[in-house]
């Protein structure tokens, strides 16, 4: 009898743990803000290490947003950003990096600075008109190179969480402004199929795969020599 009770208790405990795990998975999938904040905090130390390695410096008019401000920004745009990028924004909104991007598909590319939440609208994630900035349900610009090329973080579909470089001078921004013009029934769900740059359709010629997620992107950046003051 004792053994049967112990077995029953083990089964009950196991079912409870499975239910708790499924609940956690469901909350993560639904973008529960509490879970996202916990995950962002877990990744914070990695982010600090990478930014220190890059000798990144804050820009003069930056403002550090709090979680409520980021949530309000997401709600206003009807978007949800990944937890690693969310954690990054909490500490490194609007930072000068001047870092080379060690990327196989687009060697020689580098990022000048990350966008953020400044005291004014310049270089702001809240300014829809600045500098060909992409702020759409599909993707947002997270930073730029010195020629205005945009580093994009995709937010949904098959490309969700991935980082791409958008060659604005080549017309890459047009596809973000009006993705309906893509030929042959293409959508952004097709974009990852061409990450190796092979047989890329015209619609994607100015979008280049950089990294599978934001933390991978940070880790591949290499600090560049800065001009003497």
């Amino acid at each position: 009898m004792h053994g049967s009770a112990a077995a029953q208790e083990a089964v009950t405990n196991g079912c409870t743990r499975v239910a708790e795990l499924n609940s956690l998975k469901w909350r993560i999938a639904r973008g529960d803000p509490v879970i996202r904040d916990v995950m962002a905090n877990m990744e914070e130390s990695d982010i600090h290490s990478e930014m220190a390695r890059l000798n990144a410096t804050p820009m003069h008019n930056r403002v550090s947003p709090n979680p409520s401000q980021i949530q309000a920004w997401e709600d206003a745009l009807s978007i949800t950003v990944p937890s690693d990028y969310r954690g990054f924004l909490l500490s490194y909104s609007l930072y000068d990096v001047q870092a080379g991007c060690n990327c196989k598909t687009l060697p020689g590319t580098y990022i000048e600075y990350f966008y953020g939440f400044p005291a004014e609208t310049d270089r702001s994630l809240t300014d829809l008109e600045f500098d060909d900035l992409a702020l759409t349900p599909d993707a947002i610009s997270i930073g730029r190179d010195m020629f205005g090329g945009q580093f994009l973080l995709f937010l949904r579909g098959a490309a969700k969480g991935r980082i791409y470089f958008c060659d604005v001078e080549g017309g890459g921004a047009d596809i973000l402004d009006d993705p309906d013009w893509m030929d042959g029934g293409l959508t952004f769900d097709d974009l990852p199929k061409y990450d190796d740059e092979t047989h890329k359709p015209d619609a994607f010629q100015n979008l280049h795969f950089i990294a599978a997620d934001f933390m991978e992107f940070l880790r591949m950046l290499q600090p560049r020599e800065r001009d003497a003051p």
Side-chain angles (χ1 to χ4, degrees):
M1 190 71 177
H2 177 72
S4 177
Q8 182 60 44
E9 182 179 2
V11 170
T12 300
N13 289 339
C15 290
T16 299
R17 291 186 182 121
V18 169
E20 290 173 346
L21 179 59
N22 287 337
S23 175
L24 180 60
K25 289 179 178 178
W26 181 84
R27 291 176 68 187
I28 292 172
R30 290 294 297 270
D32 185 302
V34 175
I35 296 296
R36 285 168 51 207
D37 286 344
V38 169
M39 294 175 69
N41 288 336
M42 290 173 64
E43 292 158 337
E44 188 174 355
S45 61
D46 284 344
I47 292 171
H48 290 328
S49 297
E50 293 302 321
M51 291 297 278
R53 178 181 63 83
L54 293 171
N55 300 316
T57 57
M59 301 182 82
H60 73 280
N61 62 338
R62 70 177 298 273
V63 172
S64 294
N66 59 44
S68 296
Q69 289 172 313
I70 294 178
Q71 185 66 55
W73 167 68
E74 289 179 305
D75 292 344
L77 294 175
S78 299
I79 62 174
T80 300
V81 299
S83 62
D84 52 5
Y85 184 59
R86 185 184 182 87
F88 175 84
L89 284 178
L90 288 171
S91 297
Y92 294 102
S93 161
L94 200 59
Y95 259 67
D96 182 2
V97 280
Q98 303 288 332
C101 184
N102 186 20
C103 172
K104 293 179 180 178
T105 57
L106 207 63
T109 302
Y110 78 96
I111 184 167
E112 186 177 16
Y113 56 77
F114 284 105
Y115 295 122
F117 293 81
E120 298 132 20
T121 58
D122 188 37
R123 303 179 179 91
S124 173
L125 285 169
T126 62
D127 181 5
L128 302 182
E129 302 300 325
F130 173 72
D131 201 24
D132 294 315
L133 201 66
L135 287 166
T136 75
D138 290 293
I140 60 169
S141 295
I142 60 173
R144 55 158 285 168
D145 71 4
M146 67 178 296
F147 302 108
Q150 304 292 318
F151 289 88
L152 305 178
L153 170 61
F154 273 76
L155 302 174
R156 64 183 184 182
K160 183 177 179 179
R162 301 167 85 81
I163 307 293
Y164 288 81
F165 179 76
C166 177
D167 181 3
V168 174
E169 290 188 327
D174 296 340
I175 197 174
L176 297 168
D177 293 336
D178 185 14
D180 291 336
W181 70 262
M182 285 190 279
D183 296 329
L186 288 171
T187 70
F188 284 124
D189 282 339
D190 297 304
L191 187 55
K193 299 175 185 176
Y194 305 100
D195 284 352
D196 63 358
E197 301 285 314
T198 303
H199 306 302
K200 185 186 284 187
D202 290 343
F204 296 149
Q205 284 299 319
N206 295 306
L207 293 173
H208 306 278
F209 174 68
I210 299 295
D213 56 47
F214 182 74
M215 282 306 304
E216 180 179 297
F217 176 52
L218 271 189
R219 293 185 182 110
M220 70 167 50
L221 294 179
Q222 300 297 322
R224 294 167 57 98
E225 289 187 11
R226 297 174 180 270
D227 295 333

